[in-house]
Amino acid sequence: MDKFVTKVKRTTVESSSPMTSKKGRVEIDYENLPTDLGLRCSIWDYGPNDIDRVRRSYLQKGPCQPICHEFPQTLMMDELRRFNKDWFEQYSDWLEYSVAKDAAYCLYCYLFKPKSNQGGGDVFVGVGFSTWRKKEKFDQHVGKHNSAHNQARRKCQDLMSQRLAASISTLFTSNTNKCRIEYQTRLSAAIDCVRFLLRQGLSFRGHDESELSTNRGNYLELFHWLADHNQKINSSSFENAPKNSQLVSSDIQKDLCIAATIEVTNAIIKDIGEAPITLLVDESRDISTKEQMAVALRYVNKKGMIVERCIGIEHVANTTAISLKASIQKLFSRHKLSLSSLRGQGYDGASNMQGEFRGLKALILNENPCAFYIHYFAYQLQLTLVAISKNHAQVEFLFEITSKIMNIVGASCKRKDILLAKQHDRVLEALKKGEILSGRGLNQEINL
């Protein structure tokens, strides 16, 4: 076993030396330089064109400090001694530990101590320090201001601060990583704001979003609130962020909303799977009187529950049956759905929807006879009430008097308060007499 370990160590030491190609050119893998100082070759074994780059690589990685290593004990002066991992915190910038040699080294001196002094004099560069009971040797190694250790430390600082000598790729990577982390922090905060506003159904934009405005809209105000309560977000947002990447413009807000819409719709389509569906369609005109078609799907999910989900609102140029069917097919195609999976249709009673020959119902039934049509229950109830009111004078009187009360009382706050006060007194008197009961959902105050 000891022979095998010795062979492995010898092979590792030999492989840590710079490799020379057949043409005499030294080939160095800067990304995989030996970490353990006890297994490294001398810094002066590298060529003059490579030595500074090797030094930078080691300085960027930092000293080798295996904190989780189980440090072996050594018998010294009748006492068992070993390396103390707490020393890494006290001498964090230069102290290294070699697992292979169970010894401590100095990173600064390894990189810059003169070649003539590398082999002797200072154990932190040569054989390594392992007299663990003499902890004061660490301070003696650091020495005074102009000691060899401090001279090497200053050379390391000068090397890393030289802009011309520094690696352009390293600086670019470092700057890119910092910008990427800050952008991810800023983007996460923006997404949290969008999710909150969408879930609560609140508007995003404000009437005046200038910096002097006291109310810049829900999105910006919420974003500012998050930044005020999170230092990480505050340090990478608004004035601390690039002007072209602050994620506060109206276009960015729209893009985030669209992204949220896509994710929610994809989740609905995934939940549907291959289950049969029912198509529900109705008009949805917005405040700008733009003609739109709201499309919802009714299906049984994987848990056996009947659910209804809106999958989109499509703008239609006109409301003819052919135009509506084309918009539905386009929507289904976008979400990889098929009209053949329809098992039901639910529309209102308009002729372009439930027409027997040219309505939307008939056009879909021509392609899928299994898509049975069901008249909207809400519309059925409305038609039923209309028919009853026409044939029964008392029902018609009820709706007429209710409409008049709504018009008279609703137009005046004073009349409404008087009516509510009268009703309140009447309910209290009835409760005292035991004529009515109180409780959840019983005789509670409601709006007209």
Side-chain angles (χ1 to χ4, degrees), residues 351-385:
S351 60
N352 63 333
M353 304 300 291
Q354 71 162 357
E356 193 67 27
F357 301 103
R358 296 183 179 180
L360 178 62
K361 173 196 75 173
L363 296 179
I364 294 180
L365 282 174
N366 291 336
E367 293 188 16
N368 182 8
C370 297
F372 298 104
Y373 170 74
I374 301 174
H375 195 188
Y376 265 177
F377 177 77
Y379 288 106
Q380 292 184 45
L381 178 61
Q382 181 185 14
L383 294 176
T384 301
L385 293 175

Side-chain angles (χ1 to χ4, degrees), residues 15-277:
S15 63
S16 65
S17 302
M19 298 179 61
T20 306
S21 63
K22 296 180 180 180
K23 296 182 180 181
R25 182 176 58 84
V26 176
E27 298 179 354
I28 303 173
D29 186 1
Y30 295 98
E31 299 295 329
N32 298 308
L33 292 171
T35 304
D36 194 325
L37 197 146
L39 301 179
R40 303 173 192 165
C41 63
S42 174
I43 191 66
W44 301 105
D45 291 343
Y46 296 95
N49 298 327
D50 302 318
I51 189 170
D52 280 348
R53 186 173 177 184
V54 173
R55 285 168 172 164
R56 286 194 200 91
S57 298
Y58 278 122
L59 288 172
Q60 290 169 358
K61 292 180 181 179
C64 177
Q65 298 179 348
I67 299 177
C68 299
H69 175 66
E70 187 67 27
F71 301 101
Q73 295 181 339
T74 305
L75 185 62
M76 297 180 182
M77 302 294 291
D78 299 330
E79 291 183 4
L80 290 175
R81 302 275 186 172
R82 64 180 176 181
F83 183 89
N84 189 349
K85 63 180 181 181
D86 293 337
W87 295 339
F88 286 145
E89 296 181 3
Q90 189 173 358
Y91 308 100
S92 59
D93 57 337
W94 62 269
L95 181 60
E96 290 191 307
Y97 177 83
S98 172
V99 176
K101 294 188 176 181
D102 185 27
Y105 293 87
C106 175
L107 176 62
Y108 293 155
C109 294
Y110 164 73
L111 296 177
F112 277 99
K113 194 166 185 180
K115 184 177 181 180
S116 58
N117 298 331
Q118 284 266 346
D122 192 346
V123 294
F124 284 89
V125 182
V127 296
F129 174 80
S130 59
T131 310
W132 310 129
R133 63 188 182 87
K134 296 183 179 181
K135 190 254 182 183
E136 64 275 7
K137 291 292 185 180
F138 291 105
D139 296 326
Q140 294 178 7
H141 168 74
V142 175
K144 298 182 179 180
H145 175 72
N146 203 31
S147 64
H149 171 86
N150 286 319
Q151 290 180 9
R153 176 181 58 81
R154 286 191 291 270
K155 291 179 180 179
C156 290
Q157 293 175 351
D158 293 341
L159 176 66
M160 297 303 291
S161 63
Q162 291 176 359
R163 295 184 178 180
L164 295 178
S167 172
I168 296 177
S169 60
T170 302
L171 292 176
F172 179 77
T173 302
S174 176
N175 185 51
T176 303
N177 290 336
K178 180 182 178 181
C179 294
R180 177 176 56 83
I181 294 173
E182 291 181 350
Y183 176 77
Q184 289 178 347
T185 302
R186 194 162 56 250
L187 180 61
S188 298
I191 292 175
D192 290 339
C193 294
V194 170
R195 291 179 61 188
F196 176 81
L197 296 176
L198 290 176
R199 182 173 295 178
Q200 299 301 119
L202 300 175
S203 61
F204 280 60
R205 304 292 303 280
H207 177 70
D208 183 8
E209 295 187 349
S210 63
E211 295 183 359
L212 300 178
S213 175
T214 57
N215 187 353
R216 302 177 62 187
N218 291 331
Y219 178 82
L220 291 179
E221 292 294 338
L222 184 58
F223 207 150
H224 274 287
W225 185 87
L226 281 178
D228 292 339
H229 290 76
N230 190 310
Q231 181 60 32
K232 189 176 181 181
I233 297 175
N234 188 33
S235 61
S236 60
S237 303
F238 299 107
E239 64 273 3
N240 297 323
K243 292 185 177 181
N244 61 345
S245 181
Q246 293 186 356
L247 303 181
V248 295
S249 67
S250 58
D251 292 337
I252 294 297
Q253 297 177 36
K254 292 179 182 178
D255 290 342
L256 292 176
C257 289
I258 293 173
T261 302
I262 294 174
E263 290 298 323
V264 172
T265 306
N266 290 338
I268 295 173
I269 299 302
K270 184 178 180 181
D271 188 40
I272 294 175
E274 298 180 356
I277 56 178

